[in-house]
Amino acid sequence: MGTVPSALKHCLSYQHLLKEQLWIGEPAAPHAGQESQASGLPEYIKIVEVGPRDGLQNEKVIVPTDIKIELINRLSKTGLPAIEVTSFVSSKWVPQMADHKEVMRGIERHPGVQYPVLTPNLQGFHSAIAAGATEVSVFGAASESFSKMNINCSIEESIEKFEEVAKSARNMNIPVRGYVSCALGCPYEGNIIPAKVAEVSKRLYSMGCYEISLGDTIGVGTPGSMKTMLEAVMKEIPLSALAVHCHDTYGQALANILTAIQMGVAVVDSSVAGLGGCPYAKGATGNVATEDVIYMLNGLGINTGVNLYAVMEAGNFICAALNKKTNSKVAQASFNNGTIN
Amino acid sequence: RGARLTLSLCPQVSGAAAAGAFPKRVKVVEVGPRDGLQNEKNVVPTPVKINLINMLSETGLQVIEATSFVSPKWVPQMADHTEVMQGINKLPGISYPVLTPNLKGFQAAVAAGAKEVSIFGAASELFTKKNINCSIEESLERFDEVMTAARAASIPVRGYVSCVLGCPYEGKISAAKVAEVSKKMYSMGCYEISLGDTIGVGTPGSMKEMLTAVMKEVPVGALAVHCHDTYGQALANILIALQMGVSVVDASVAGLGGCPYAQGASGNVATEDLVYMLNGLGIHTGVDLQKLMDTGTFICNALNRRTNSKVSQASCRL
């Protein structure tokens, strides 16, 4: 920039710009569908909100149950079609998710919104169903070392456990979502070959997972590796069953997501306020912020059904409760010091 | 281990660039010492500025914007422009452009040894009025004087256009207006036009629309993008620009330089994060990412602040 007076801090018309001209708080304009179609991008993208589970799980501060419930209830009012609520995993492993039953039972269930929960095994699955869950997720990995370190078994052994879950789920008409971690790199093995990601994805899809979320667990991916990986996976899984779960640890998430949607992927995972650091790089960020994703998709004329301003308010709520700054740049830019004026 | 893991996980993927979707090479224009420091609160001592630029000169960067020959009343951070210009090691093959808002600044710059200058236009009338108290047309007339003098001295001039994807005062900016101002500056003799998303509000959608209009008037080889990361959109916007054939990208080491229009928000995109992405795309930059990160660490320590580069954050052991 040129010679800008640095004393300028606020600009009233700037706030005006935000609200009325940059679609913050507004869904995509009526003709936006044409704009996105002309550019070859999906007309609609489903946002899967993972803040309450993936986000909070990777936050140091243990969040009280009522705060978790309040967060999810707020998110339910934003237009988000899917909100990952909690994880039915042993509280010894994940203390943050120890209140899974209370959260599942305590939240408002809005019509048209899915509330999936993690179920690492059959025991967790039964517990989830008993608590009222109507959709579950299982977590595979494209790396043997990661699988071993994370859940103390090989990929093959983990698949066998998931098959038990998938079988029970099928009998009860419960949809199952499959995650593949380390899709673009592993903290132990380094590079992960796309063929391995495709292989694990195919196993999960074949056992009945309706959707496969490909996770860049440590955020090392770039548009180059995203493209190569998706090309391999798309040979095995229909595009409509694919989602991307990008971490922003190296600042690459939005560029990676853009690459994925250019290839036709129409489901994107994200976390309100970018909740959830990276357990593999101290002090680094993790999940991409839902606000920043929606801002980009709005600008591309892609419909998400989500009210950005409402998400920012939910983000503001949880950051105040966690006593932390938001990781969303859109929220940072829109509010003073990351909190609402 | 973190840094080695970063670099080994981001090998040159030669396939992507060869596929023709992206330029094979990108010129990274480092604006940290000028645009970056100018928007930092703490005034940086001259020796620190000089050391910063010298360290950047060792990273493989080909263009490093050194300082601004503007009145210290307006921009106290750049008051030491002459000392900086005269104090830095000027390595062969590296260009050290400086800002020159008018003829007086240009003459001072040349006297101090500058071999390349930059001028700043805007696609917004209101921004120009608030910024330099004149209309766009009047600002271009002032630049004409600089162009004439530069031509006579065989000094290349780079033109910046601010507010290309939005203005803090006017709001939406028409792509046609950006194209018009870019065309004028290119016709005046600027060898390159850097299109600046000054408040970082742009998205790949508006970037595409704007570039489509500008590319009708200015050859893509003469275009650069200067994206701010205030809304986290910078790398996605840069990606679109690359896909459209732009091969010059401005960035700031450690993401130096906040945004004066949104308190507490970030500004420039971090050079480290940009180079990380370009490496992953198999695009050649000539920049050594590790040396760049080391330089970012140096200036952040000197400024007593955390880096804005996510690559640096992820790689550091705190």
Side-chain angles (χ1 to χ4, degrees), chain A residues 38-71:
Chain A
S39 57
L41 299 172
E43 259 185 61
Y44 170 80
I45 285 185
K46 179 175 97 172
I47 304 280
V48 175
E49 171 60 47
V50 301
R53 204 284 306 166
D54 192 357
L56 292 184
Q57 183 167 316
N58 288 296
E59 290 288 333
K60 291 194 186 68
V61 175
I62 299 282
V63 175
T65 307
D66 58 338
I67 300 278
K68 285 187 182 118
I69 290 171
E70 173 70 22
L71 171 65

PDB file of all heavy atoms in Angstrom, chain A residues 38-71:
ATOM      1  N   ALA A  38     -21.018 -21.867 -14.429  1.00  0.00           N
ATOM      2  CA  ALA A  38     -20.201 -21.455 -15.574  1.00  0.00           C
ATOM      3  C   ALA A  38     -18.731 -21.721 -15.300  1.00  0.00           C
ATOM      4  O   ALA A  38     -17.966 -22.020 -16.197  1.00  0.00           O
ATOM      5  CB  ALA A  38     -20.432 -19.978 -15.870  1.00  0.00           C
ATOM      6  N   SER A  39     -18.335 -21.634 -14.037  1.00  0.00           N
ATOM      7  CA  SER A  39     -16.931 -21.836 -13.726  1.00  0.00           C
ATOM      8  C   SER A  39     -16.625 -23.301 -13.464  1.00  0.00           C
ATOM      9  O   SER A  39     -15.520 -23.655 -13.112  1.00  0.00           O
ATOM     10  CB  SER A  39     -16.555 -21.005 -12.498  1.00  0.00           C
ATOM     11  OG  SER A  39     -17.393 -21.361 -11.418  1.00  0.00           O
ATOM     12  N   GLY A  40     -17.613 -24.190 -13.608  1.00  0.00           N
ATOM     13  CA  GLY A  40     -17.372 -25.610 -13.416  1.00  0.00           C
ATOM     14  C   GLY A  40     -17.375 -26.042 -11.968  1.00  0.00           C
ATOM     15  O   GLY A  40     -17.020 -27.166 -11.647  1.00  0.00           O
ATOM     16  N   LEU A  41     -17.765 -25.168 -11.079  1.00  0.00           N
ATOM     17  CA  LEU A  41     -17.778 -25.502  -9.655  1.00  0.00           C
ATOM     18  C   LEU A  41     -19.163 -26.012  -9.259  1.00  0.00           C
ATOM     19  O   LEU A  41     -20.154 -25.705  -9.910  1.00  0.00           O
ATOM     20  CB  LEU A  41     -17.443 -24.249  -8.838  1.00  0.00           C
ATOM     21  CG  LEU A  41     -16.073 -23.639  -9.100  1.00  0.00           C
ATOM     22  CD1 LEU A  41     -15.944 -22.317  -8.374  1.00  0.00           C
ATOM     23  CD2 LEU A  41     -14.964 -24.585  -8.681  1.00  0.00           C
ATOM     24  N   PRO A  42     -19.224 -26.807  -8.159  1.00  0.00           N
ATOM     25  CA  PRO A  42     -20.538 -27.263  -7.701  1.00  0.00           C
ATOM     26  C   PRO A  42     -21.436 -26.070  -7.379  1.00  0.00           C
ATOM     27  O   PRO A  42     -20.963 -25.025  -6.954  1.00  0.00           O
ATOM     28  CB  PRO A  42     -20.218 -28.038  -6.412  1.00  0.00           C
ATOM     29  CG  PRO A  42     -18.767 -28.338  -6.460  1.00  0.00           C
ATOM     30  CD  PRO A  42     -18.120 -27.274  -7.288  1.00  0.00           C
ATOM     31  N   GLU A  43     -22.743 -26.235  -7.594  1.00  0.00           N
ATOM     32  CA  GLU A  43     -23.692 -25.163  -7.268  1.00  0.00           C
ATOM     33  C   GLU A  43     -23.914 -25.074  -5.769  1.00  0.00           C
ATOM     34  O   GLU A  43     -24.187 -24.007  -5.221  1.00  0.00           O
ATOM     35  CB  GLU A  43     -25.038 -25.474  -7.907  1.00  0.00           C
ATOM     36  CG  GLU A  43     -25.306 -24.716  -9.177  1.00  0.00           C
ATOM     37  CD  GLU A  43     -26.709 -24.987  -9.684  1.00  0.00           C
ATOM     38  OE1 GLU A  43     -27.669 -24.676  -8.944  1.00  0.00           O
ATOM     39  OE2 GLU A  43     -26.812 -25.530 -10.802  1.00  0.00           O
ATOM     40  N   TYR A  44     -23.841 -26.246  -5.127  1.00  0.00           N
ATOM     41  CA  TYR A  44     -24.107 -26.321  -3.695  1.00  0.00           C
ATOM     42  C   TYR A  44     -23.003 -27.135  -3.025  1.00  0.00           C
ATOM     43  O   TYR A  44     -22.557 -28.141  -3.557  1.00  0.00           O
ATOM     44  CB  TYR A  44     -25.466 -26.995  -3.440  1.00  0.00           C
ATOM     45  CG  TYR A  44     -25.713 -27.321  -1.982  1.00  0.00           C
ATOM     46  CD1 TYR A  44     -26.137 -26.343  -1.083  1.00  0.00           C
ATOM     47  CD2 TYR A  44     -25.487 -28.611  -1.485  1.00  0.00           C
ATOM     48  CE1 TYR A  44     -26.331 -26.633   0.270  1.00  0.00           C
ATOM     49  CE2 TYR A  44     -25.690 -28.916  -0.141  1.00  0.00           C
ATOM     50  CZ  TYR A  44     -26.113 -27.932   0.727  1.00  0.00           C
ATOM     51  OH  TYR A  44     -26.299 -28.222   2.065  1.00  0.00           O
ATOM     52  N   ILE A  45     -22.560 -26.649  -1.871  1.00  0.00           N
ATOM     53  CA  ILE A  45     -21.584 -27.419  -1.115  1.00  0.00           C
ATOM     54  C   ILE A  45     -22.101 -27.653   0.298  1.00  0.00           C
ATOM     55  O   ILE A  45     -22.557 -26.711   0.966  1.00  0.00           O
ATOM     56  CB  ILE A  45     -20.208 -26.733  -1.107  1.00  0.00           C
ATOM     57  CG1 ILE A  45     -19.568 -26.932  -2.486  1.00  0.00           C
ATOM     58  CG2 ILE A  45     -19.295 -27.307  -0.023  1.00  0.00           C
ATOM     59  CD1 ILE A  45     -18.171 -26.424  -2.624  1.00  0.00           C
ATOM     60  N   LYS A  46     -22.063 -28.919   0.725  1.00  0.00           N
ATOM     61  CA  LYS A  46     -22.486 -29.265   2.083  1.00  0.00           C
ATOM     62  C   LYS A  46     -21.305 -29.039   3.018  1.00  0.00           C
ATOM     63  O   LYS A  46     -20.211 -29.569   2.799  1.00  0.00           O
ATOM     64  CB  LYS A  46     -22.921 -30.739   2.132  1.00  0.00           C
ATOM     65  CG  LYS A  46     -23.357 -31.202   3.526  1.00  0.00           C
ATOM     66  CD  LYS A  46     -23.904 -32.635   3.506  1.00  0.00           C
ATOM     67  CE  LYS A  46     -22.831 -33.632   3.907  1.00  0.00           C
ATOM     68  NZ  LYS A  46     -23.342 -34.994   4.090  1.00  0.00           N
ATOM     69  N   ILE A  47     -21.550 -28.230   4.041  1.00  0.00           N
ATOM     70  CA  ILE A  47     -20.504 -27.991   5.044  1.00  0.00           C
ATOM     71  C   ILE A  47     -20.759 -28.920   6.227  1.00  0.00           C
ATOM     72  O   ILE A  47     -21.869 -28.941   6.784  1.00  0.00           O
ATOM     73  CB  ILE A  47     -20.533 -26.544   5.572  1.00  0.00           C
ATOM     74  CG1 ILE A  47     -20.422 -25.540   4.438  1.00  0.00           C
ATOM     75  CG2 ILE A  47     -19.440 -26.325   6.615  1.00  0.00           C
ATOM     76  CD1 ILE A  47     -19.044 -25.306   3.933  1.00  0.00           C
ATOM     77  N   VAL A  48     -19.770 -29.698   6.592  1.00  0.00           N
ATOM     78  CA  VAL A  48     -19.889 -30.553   7.777  1.00  0.00           C
ATOM     79  C   VAL A  48     -19.102 -29.887   8.907  1.00  0.00           C
ATOM     80  O   VAL A  48     -17.879 -29.756   8.838  1.00  0.00           O
ATOM     81  CB  VAL A  48     -19.345 -31.978   7.495  1.00  0.00           C
ATOM     82  CG1 VAL A  48     -19.371 -32.819   8.763  1.00  0.00           C
ATOM     83  CG2 VAL A  48     -20.165 -32.639   6.386  1.00  0.00           C
ATOM     84  N   GLU A  49     -19.814 -29.452   9.906  1.00  0.00           N
ATOM     85  CA  GLU A  49     -19.221 -28.702  11.018  1.00  0.00           C
ATOM     86  C   GLU A  49     -18.667 -29.678  12.061  1.00  0.00           C
ATOM     87  O   GLU A  49     -19.422 -30.447  12.668  1.00  0.00           O
ATOM     88  CB  GLU A  49     -20.286 -27.798  11.640  1.00  0.00           C
ATOM     89  CG  GLU A  49     -19.880 -27.128  12.934  1.00  0.00           C
ATOM     90  CD  GLU A  49     -18.648 -26.234  12.793  1.00  0.00           C
ATOM     91  OE1 GLU A  49     -18.601 -25.443  11.835  1.00  0.00           O
ATOM     92  OE2 GLU A  49     -17.730 -26.344  13.635  1.00  0.00           O
ATOM     93  N   VAL A  50     -17.344 -29.644  12.253  1.00  0.00           N
ATOM     94  CA  VAL A  50     -16.706 -30.603  13.161  1.00  0.00           C
ATOM     95  C   VAL A  50     -16.185 -29.939  14.444  1.00  0.00           C
ATOM     96  O   VAL A  50     -15.512 -30.578  15.254  1.00  0.00           O
ATOM     97  CB  VAL A  50     -15.558 -31.384  12.464  1.00  0.00           C
ATOM     98  CG1 VAL A  50     -16.090 -32.136  11.248  1.00  0.00           C
ATOM     99  CG2 VAL A  50     -14.417 -30.465  12.077  1.00  0.00           C
ATOM    100  N   GLY A  51     -16.528 -28.675  14.620  1.00  0.00           N
ATOM    101  CA  GLY A  51     -16.033 -27.944  15.789  1.00  0.00           C
ATOM    102  C   GLY A  51     -16.313 -28.603  17.124  1.00  0.00           C
ATOM    103  O   GLY A  51     -15.404 -28.791  17.942  1.00  0.00           O
ATOM    104  N   PRO A  52     -17.580 -28.977  17.379  1.00  0.00           N
ATOM    105  CA  PRO A  52     -17.890 -29.528  18.699  1.00  0.00           C
ATOM    106  C   PRO A  52     -17.160 -30.843  18.995  1.00  0.00           C
ATOM    107  O   PRO A  52     -16.962 -31.184  20.158  1.00  0.00           O
ATOM    108  CB  PRO A  52     -19.405 -29.754  18.643  1.00  0.00           C
ATOM    109  CG  PRO A  52     -19.888 -28.810  17.588  1.00  0.00           C
ATOM    110  CD  PRO A  52     -18.801 -28.756  16.572  1.00  0.00           C
ATOM    111  N   ARG A  53     -16.746 -31.565  17.934  1.00  0.00           N
ATOM    112  CA  ARG A  53     -16.034 -32.828  18.201  1.00  0.00           C
ATOM    113  C   ARG A  53     -14.537 -32.692  17.911  1.00  0.00           C
ATOM    114  O   ARG A  53     -13.723 -32.616  18.812  1.00  0.00           O
ATOM    115  CB  ARG A  53     -16.667 -33.962  17.380  1.00  0.00           C
ATOM    116  CG  ARG A  53     -16.441 -35.361  17.944  1.00  0.00           C
ATOM    117  CD  ARG A  53     -15.063 -35.916  17.714  1.00  0.00           C
ATOM    118  NE  ARG A  53     -14.658 -35.906  16.335  1.00  0.00           N
ATOM    119  CZ  ARG A  53     -13.405 -36.093  15.902  1.00  0.00           C
ATOM    120  NH1 ARG A  53     -12.438 -36.313  16.761  1.00  0.00           N
ATOM    121  NH2 ARG A  53     -13.127 -36.054  14.629  1.00  0.00           N
ATOM    122  N   ASP A  54     -14.176 -32.638  16.645  1.00  0.00           N
ATOM    123  CA  ASP A  54     -12.772 -32.540  16.252  1.00  0.00           C
ATOM    124  C   ASP A  54     -12.142 -31.279  16.837  1.00  0.00           C
ATOM    125  O   ASP A  54     -11.015 -31.289  17.324  1.00  0.00           O
ATOM    126  CB  ASP A  54     -12.688 -32.520  14.714  1.00  0.00           C
ATOM    127  CG  ASP A  54     -11.269 -32.718  14.190  1.00  0.00           C
ATOM    128  OD1 ASP A  54     -10.330 -32.824  14.999  1.00  0.00           O
ATOM    129  OD2 ASP A  54     -11.099 -32.755  12.956  1.00  0.00           O
ATOM    130  N   GLY A  55     -12.896 -30.198  16.816  1.00  0.00           N
ATOM    131  CA  GLY A  55     -12.381 -28.932  17.335  1.00  0.00           C
ATOM    132  C   GLY A  55     -12.110 -28.995  18.822  1.00  0.00           C
ATOM    133  O   GLY A  55     -10.977 -28.850  19.274  1.00  0.00           O
ATOM    134  N   LEU A  56     -13.158 -29.266  19.586  1.00  0.00           N
ATOM    135  CA  LEU A  56     -13.002 -29.269  21.042  1.00  0.00           C
ATOM    136  C   LEU A  56     -12.055 -30.358  21.512  1.00  0.00           C
ATOM    137  O   LEU A  56     -11.325 -30.179  22.491  1.00  0.00           O
ATOM    138  CB  LEU A  56     -14.364 -29.423  21.731  1.00  0.00           C
ATOM    139  CG  LEU A  56     -15.308 -28.227  21.587  1.00  0.00           C
ATOM    140  CD1 LEU A  56     -16.578 -28.447  22.393  1.00  0.00           C
ATOM    141  CD2 LEU A  56     -14.621 -26.932  22.033  1.00  0.00           C
ATOM    142  N   GLN A  57     -12.041 -31.489  20.807  1.00  0.00           N
ATOM    143  CA  GLN A  57     -11.164 -32.597  21.196  1.00  0.00           C
ATOM    144  C   GLN A  57      -9.710 -32.164  21.195  1.00  0.00           C
ATOM    145  O   GLN A  57      -8.894 -32.666  21.959  1.00  0.00           O
ATOM    146  CB  GLN A  57     -11.355 -33.771  20.240  1.00  0.00           C
ATOM    147  CG  GLN A  57     -10.539 -34.994  20.613  1.00  0.00           C
ATOM    148  CD  GLN A  57     -10.988 -36.222  19.850  1.00  0.00           C
ATOM    149  OE1 GLN A  57     -12.180 -36.476  19.709  1.00  0.00           O
ATOM    150  NE2 GLN A  57     -10.038 -36.990  19.367  1.00  0.00           N
ATOM    151  N   ASN A  58      -9.389 -31.209  20.326  1.00  0.00           N
ATOM    152  CA  ASN A  58      -8.007 -30.750  20.230  1.00  0.00           C
ATOM    153  C   ASN A  58      -7.770 -29.418  20.906  1.00  0.00           C
ATOM    154  O   ASN A  58      -6.797 -28.727  20.622  1.00  0.00           O
ATOM    155  CB  ASN A  58      -7.575 -30.720  18.767  1.00  0.00           C
ATOM    156  CG  ASN A  58      -7.378 -32.123  18.230  1.00  0.00           C
ATOM    157  OD1 ASN A  58      -6.515 -32.858  18.684  1.00  0.00           O
ATOM    158  ND2 ASN A  58      -8.223 -32.524  17.286  1.00  0.00           N
ATOM    159  N   GLU A  59      -8.666 -29.038  21.807  1.00  0.00           N
ATOM    160  CA  GLU A  59      -8.463 -27.862  22.625  1.00  0.00           C
ATOM    161  C   GLU A  59      -8.051 -28.324  24.026  1.00  0.00           C
ATOM    162  O   GLU A  59      -8.602 -29.293  24.560  1.00  0.00           O
ATOM    163  CB  GLU A  59      -9.756 -27.023  22.723  1.00  0.00           C
ATOM    164  CG  GLU A  59     -10.135 -26.325  21.417  1.00  0.00           C
ATOM    165  CD  GLU A  59      -9.222 -25.148  21.071  1.00  0.00           C
ATOM    166  OE1 GLU A  59      -8.638 -24.543  21.995  1.00  0.00           O
ATOM    167  OE2 GLU A  59      -9.093 -24.843  19.863  1.00  0.00           O
ATOM    168  N   LYS A  60      -7.086 -27.597  24.604  1.00  0.00           N
ATOM    169  CA  LYS A  60      -6.567 -28.024  25.908  1.00  0.00           C
ATOM    170  C   LYS A  60      -7.598 -27.907  27.024  1.00  0.00           C
ATOM    171  O   LYS A  60      -7.715 -28.758  27.891  1.00  0.00           O
ATOM    172  CB  LYS A  60      -5.338 -27.184  26.278  1.00  0.00           C
ATOM    173  CG  LYS A  60      -4.126 -27.447  25.407  1.00  0.00           C
ATOM    174  CD  LYS A  60      -2.870 -26.841  26.035  1.00  0.00           C
ATOM    175  CE  LYS A  60      -1.673 -26.960  25.115  1.00  0.00           C
ATOM    176  NZ  LYS A  60      -1.790 -26.119  23.902  1.00  0.00           N
ATOM    177  N   VAL A  61      -8.345 -26.817  27.008  1.00  0.00           N
ATOM    178  CA  VAL A  61      -9.290 -26.536  28.096  1.00  0.00           C
ATOM    179  C   VAL A  61     -10.500 -27.465  28.002  1.00  0.00           C
ATOM    180  O   VAL A  61     -11.123 -27.580  26.953  1.00  0.00           O
ATOM    181  CB  VAL A  61      -9.762 -25.063  27.997  1.00  0.00           C
ATOM    182  CG1 VAL A  61     -10.823 -24.750  29.027  1.00  0.00           C
ATOM    183  CG2 VAL A  61      -8.586 -24.118  28.128  1.00  0.00           C
ATOM    184  N   ILE A  62     -10.822 -28.136  29.107  1.00  0.00           N
ATOM    185  CA  ILE A  62     -12.020 -28.998  29.119  1.00  0.00           C
ATOM    186  C   ILE A  62     -13.250 -28.108  29.192  1.00  0.00           C
ATOM    187  O   ILE A  62     -13.363 -27.260  30.084  1.00  0.00           O
ATOM    188  CB  ILE A  62     -12.013 -29.978  30.312  1.00  0.00           C
ATOM    189  CG1 ILE A  62     -10.791 -30.889  30.229  1.00  0.00           C
ATOM    190  CG2 ILE A  62     -13.307 -30.800  30.349  1.00  0.00           C
ATOM    191  CD1 ILE A  62     -10.902 -32.021  29.226  1.00  0.00           C
ATOM    192  N   VAL A  63     -14.158 -28.310  28.268  1.00  0.00           N
ATOM    193  CA  VAL A  63     -15.332 -27.449  28.174  1.00  0.00           C
ATOM    194  C   VAL A  63     -16.506 -28.077  28.926  1.00  0.00           C
ATOM    195  O   VAL A  63     -16.822 -29.241  28.713  1.00  0.00           O
ATOM    196  CB  VAL A  63     -15.696 -27.249  26.673  1.00  0.00           C
ATOM    197  CG1 VAL A  63     -16.981 -26.469  26.523  1.00  0.00           C
ATOM    198  CG2 VAL A  63     -14.551 -26.560  25.944  1.00  0.00           C
ATOM    199  N   PRO A  64     -17.171 -27.319  29.792  1.00  0.00           N
ATOM    200  CA  PRO A  64     -18.322 -27.869  30.510  1.00  0.00           C
ATOM    201  C   PRO A  64     -19.425 -28.321  29.552  1.00  0.00           C
ATOM    202  O   PRO A  64     -19.597 -27.750  28.470  1.00  0.00           O
ATOM    203  CB  PRO A  64     -18.826 -26.695  31.361  1.00  0.00           C
ATOM    204  CG  PRO A  64     -17.711 -25.721  31.399  1.00  0.00           C
ATOM    205  CD  PRO A  64     -16.894 -25.923  30.163  1.00  0.00           C
ATOM    206  N   THR A  65     -20.176 -29.323  29.987  1.00  0.00           N
ATOM    207  CA  THR A  65     -21.215 -29.916  29.141  1.00  0.00           C
ATOM    208  C   THR A  65     -22.223 -28.889  28.637  1.00  0.00           C
ATOM    209  O   THR A  65     -22.610 -28.910  27.462  1.00  0.00           O
ATOM    210  CB  THR A  65     -21.954 -31.029  29.922  1.00  0.00           C
ATOM    211  OG1 THR A  65     -20.973 -31.943  30.427  1.00  0.00           O
ATOM    212  CG2 THR A  65     -22.947 -31.765  29.043  1.00  0.00           C
ATOM    213  N   ASP A  66     -22.642 -27.987  29.540  1.00  0.00           N
ATOM    214  CA  ASP A  66     -23.680 -27.045  29.116  1.00  0.00           C
ATOM    215  C   ASP A  66     -23.158 -26.086  28.033  1.00  0.00           C
ATOM    216  O   ASP A  66     -23.919 -25.645  27.165  1.00  0.00           O
ATOM    217  CB  ASP A  66     -24.254 -26.270  30.308  1.00  0.00           C
ATOM    218  CG  ASP A  66     -23.197 -25.503  31.084  1.00  0.00           C
ATOM    219  OD1 ASP A  66     -22.010 -25.868  30.997  1.00  0.00           O
ATOM    220  OD2 ASP A  66     -23.547 -24.534  31.788  1.00  0.00           O
ATOM    221  N   ILE A  67     -21.881 -25.785  28.064  1.00  0.00           N
ATOM    222  CA  ILE A  67     -21.293 -24.927  27.033  1.00  0.00           C
ATOM    223  C   ILE A  67     -21.275 -25.668  25.695  1.00  0.00           C
ATOM    224  O   ILE A  67     -21.575 -25.096  24.630  1.00  0.00           O
ATOM    225  CB  ILE A  67     -19.849 -24.514  27.405  1.00  0.00           C
ATOM    226  CG1 ILE A  67     -19.828 -23.759  28.721  1.00  0.00           C
ATOM    227  CG2 ILE A  67     -19.195 -23.707  26.290  1.00  0.00           C
ATOM    228  CD1 ILE A  67     -20.162 -22.299  28.643  1.00  0.00           C
ATOM    229  N   LYS A  68     -20.923 -26.949  25.747  1.00  0.00           N
ATOM    230  CA  LYS A  68     -20.911 -27.758  24.517  1.00  0.00           C
ATOM    231  C   LYS A  68     -22.314 -27.761  23.905  1.00  0.00           C
ATOM    232  O   LYS A  68     -22.485 -27.573  22.694  1.00  0.00           O
ATOM    233  CB  LYS A  68     -20.500 -29.201  24.816  1.00  0.00           C
ATOM    234  CG  LYS A  68     -19.029 -29.412  25.080  1.00  0.00           C
ATOM    235  CD  LYS A  68     -18.716 -30.897  25.197  1.00  0.00           C
ATOM    236  CE  LYS A  68     -17.265 -31.146  25.513  1.00  0.00           C
ATOM    237  NZ  LYS A  68     -17.091 -31.820  26.795  1.00  0.00           N
ATOM    238  N   ILE A  69     -23.312 -27.988  24.756  1.00  0.00           N
ATOM    239  CA  ILE A  69     -24.695 -28.061  24.279  1.00  0.00           C
ATOM    240  C   ILE A  69     -25.115 -26.718  23.697  1.00  0.00           C
ATOM    241  O   ILE A  69     -25.732 -26.657  22.621  1.00  0.00           O
ATOM    242  CB  ILE A  69     -25.634 -28.507  25.421  1.00  0.00           C
ATOM    243  CG1 ILE A  69     -25.380 -29.978  25.754  1.00  0.00           C
ATOM    244  CG2 ILE A  69     -27.092 -28.267  25.071  1.00  0.00           C
ATOM    245  CD1 ILE A  69     -26.075 -30.489  27.000  1.00  0.00           C
ATOM    246  N   GLU A  70     -24.775 -25.644  24.372  1.00  0.00           N
ATOM    247  CA  GLU A  70     -25.119 -24.301  23.889  1.00  0.00           C
ATOM    248  C   GLU A  70     -24.461 -24.042  22.536  1.00  0.00           C
ATOM    249  O   GLU A  70     -25.092 -23.490  21.621  1.00  0.00           O
ATOM    250  CB  GLU A  70     -24.654 -23.255  24.920  1.00  0.00           C
ATOM    251  CG  GLU A  70     -24.796 -21.807  24.498  1.00  0.00           C
ATOM    252  CD  GLU A  70     -26.233 -21.321  24.408  1.00  0.00           C
ATOM    253  OE1 GLU A  70     -27.109 -21.941  25.055  1.00  0.00           O
ATOM    254  OE2 GLU A  70     -26.491 -20.331  23.695  1.00  0.00           O
ATOM    255  N   LEU A  71     -23.207 -24.437  22.386  1.00  0.00           N
ATOM    256  CA  LEU A  71     -22.503 -24.253  21.108  1.00  0.00           C
ATOM    257  C   LEU A  71     -23.239 -24.978  19.989  1.00  0.00           C
ATOM    258  O   LEU A  71     -23.508 -24.401  18.930  1.00  0.00           O
ATOM    259  CB  LEU A  71     -21.061 -24.766  21.207  1.00  0.00           C
ATOM    260  CG  LEU A  71     -20.293 -24.830  19.881  1.00  0.00           C
ATOM    261  CD1 LEU A  71     -20.087 -23.435  19.292  1.00  0.00           C
ATOM    262  CD2 LEU A  71     -18.944 -25.527  20.048  1.00  0.00           C
TER     263      LEU A  71
END
